[in-house]
Amino acid sequence: MAATTERAPRLDIDALLDSPSTGIIVCCGSGGVGKTTTSAALALRAAERGRKVVVLTIDPARRLAQSLGIETLDNTPRPVTGVGAKAGGSLDAMMLDMKRTFDEVVLSQATAEKAQAILENPFYIALSSSFSGTQEYMAMEKLGQIHTEAQRDGTYDLIVVDTPPSRSALDFLDAPERLSSFLDGRFIRLLLAPARGPARLMTAGLGLVTNALTKILGAQVLRDMQTFVAAFDTLFGGFRQRAQKTFSLLQADGTAFVVIAAPEPDALREAAYFVERLTEDEMPLAGLIINRASSGLAVDLSADEATAAADRLNAAAPDSTTAGLLRLHADRVRIVMREKHLRERWATAHPDVASAVIPALSTDVHDLAGLRRVGDLLAGG
């Protein structure tokens, strides 16, 4: 497969998948660039080359389950039948259940009585279901769980992660710290201090804060928050510790980040921002995959030449079919040249980032054969 340009190194997908040192591959990028399909294709190819793989997706469209031939995906890894056996590999797939993962954390860290109080608390239910950053945090929590179990039991030697479809790709890296800071923050502890003991209620300043919050939020909401913090108090420090541990796991040598982008200015700009952030945080970057790129044309006819020829034909025959085809060709040539220019500009700005291109397919990927085709294209087929 050609690299993004002749100046840029080519991303060797098979070398990445085959290396025993590669234990985690994180597919990241902005929304709508094909992260889920690429994640599944990488996982499938690795399994069929002998790796024991699990792919974790956070895709609400659930296209991964359809592509892998599984009726439903949930928080438990499900085997993909008929994959990897000949090479000694295997493939499991799972879809993040955000609330169930949060519940598992609570159940594992708290006593049965305290866990029950937390799980039934309305404030916790809202937090675990819809708080900004919870999905990204729980994706990292689930990654940590799978990695710990794999290291202990030898169930997997490669984990492929499809990052959440967020507004910004950077949410994936920021969310663990953001959520843990919220739960472990001094501000929320100060505001909810009356839930910690009757002595605190005597403080005039806190009383004023409590009265103000009661007017804004309502007495019942405030009581729910106070009850939640009182029950959750012993788990606060654990969230920050777990976030730091996961962050360290992402920085480890066995992790490889693959940034995925479409051949569009916004997607490549987001990818550039992500590459810079990964470099800043000293996280191992494998390279860039440009997905759904327009294929080059076999006919050596420029857009200007095709347009001029179409104009001449239209002058002689206004309804000329050939003229219409020439105009379509001219439009296609302009798209191909525009994408080539974007890829060249990326390579100039990031000459050390290995890259690969997946040509746009004529149909959507909806089965294992389609995923294999994407894997072949990634590997240079």
Side-chain angles (χ1 to χ4, degrees), residues 220-271:
Q220 184 60 48
V221 173
L222 183 59
R223 278 196 297 272
D224 290 339
M225 293 174 70
Q226 291 173 336
T227 303
F228 166 75
V229 171
F232 213 75
D233 184 43
T234 57
L235 305 185
F236 271 112
F239 274 86
R240 182 176 295 278
Q241 184 180 4
R242 296 166 87 90
Q244 291 172 345
K245 184 177 180 181
T246 302
F247 207 78
S248 297
L249 177 62
L250 294 176
Q251 290 177 314
D253 291 338
T255 299
F257 279 84
V258 175
V259 180
I260 301 167
E264 300 292 339
D266 290 344
L268 286 171
R269 188 161 44 244
E270 187 79 7

Side-chain angles (χ1 to χ4, degrees), residues 143-215:
L143 170 60
Q145 290 178 10
I146 297 172
H147 181 263
T148 299
E149 294 170 2
Q151 293 289 98
R152 183 188 66 221
D153 304 329
T155 48
Y156 308 112
D157 56 33
L158 178 61
I159 304 169
V160 179
V161 183
D162 165 32
T163 56
S166 50
R167 179 177 54 84
S168 169
L170 297 178
D171 290 347
F172 181 67
L173 295 178
D174 292 334
E177 179 64 20
R178 186 168 66 246
L179 182 60
S180 63
S181 296
F182 168 78
L183 293 174
D184 199 24
R186 294 180 180 180
F187 184 64
I188 192 172
R189 288 173 176 270
L190 177 63
L191 292 181
L192 303 180
R196 301 282 182 79
R200 298 287 184 96
L201 292 171
M202 303 304 293
T203 304
L206 288 174
L208 291 173
V209 172
T210 302
N211 291 335
L213 282 173
T214 301
K215 292 179 181 179

Side-chain angles (χ1 to χ4, degrees), residues 11-20 22 25 42 51 158 256 258 286:
L11 176 58
D12 191 337
I13 288 295
D14 284 345
L16 177 67
L17 297 178
D18 293 346
S19 174
T22 304
I25 295 177
L42 289 172
R51 303 296 299 272
L158 178 61
V258 175

Side-chain angles (χ1 to χ4, degrees), residues 323-354:
L325 293 174
L326 284 167
R327 293 191 188 282
L328 286 175
H329 174 83
D331 291 340
R332 179 69 182 277
V333 170
R334 292 188 179 100
I335 291 172
V336 171
M337 296 305 296
R338 179 178 64 86
E339 292 182 6
K340 181 182 178 182
H341 172 71
L342 289 171
R343 298 199 303 268
E344 288 178 344
R345 189 167 64 181
W346 163 274
T348 300
H350 307 87
D352 297 327
V353 178

Side-chain angles (χ1 to χ4, degrees), residues 99-163:
K99 186 178 186 307
R100 183 176 165 188
T101 302
F102 211 148
D103 292 350
E104 290 172 355
V105 175
V106 172
L107 290 168
S108 67
Q109 299 295 314
T111 64
E113 183 179 356
K114 183 169 288 188
Q116 191 67 23
I118 294 172
L119 297 178
E120 294 177 352
N121 183 272
F123 182 73
Y124 167 77
I125 294 173
L127 174 72
S128 61
S129 302
S130 58
F131 183 77
S132 175
T134 303
Q135 186 182 51
E136 288 84 355
Y137 179 90
M138 288 305 146
M140 289 293 87
E141 177 67 37
K142 180 55 68 174
L143 170 60
Q145 290 178 10
I146 297 172
H147 181 263
T148 299
E149 294 170 2
Q151 293 289 98
R152 183 188 66 221
D153 304 329
T155 48
Y156 308 112
D157 56 33
L158 178 61
I159 304 169
V160 179
V161 183
D162 165 32
T163 56

Side-chain angles (χ1 to χ4, degrees), residues 253-301:
D253 291 338
T255 299
F257 279 84
V258 175
V259 180
I260 301 167
E264 300 292 339
D266 290 344
L268 286 171
R269 188 161 44 244
E270 187 79 7
Y273 193 21
F274 208 124
V275 166
E276 292 167 6
R277 172 63 185 277
L278 290 171
T279 303
E280 178 184 328
D281 289 339
E282 298 181 346
M283 292 189 173
L285 172 66
L288 169 77
I289 293 175
I290 297 180
N291 194 24
R292 302 169 187 159
S294 299
S295 301
L297 301 175
V299 179
D300 186 15
L301 181 66

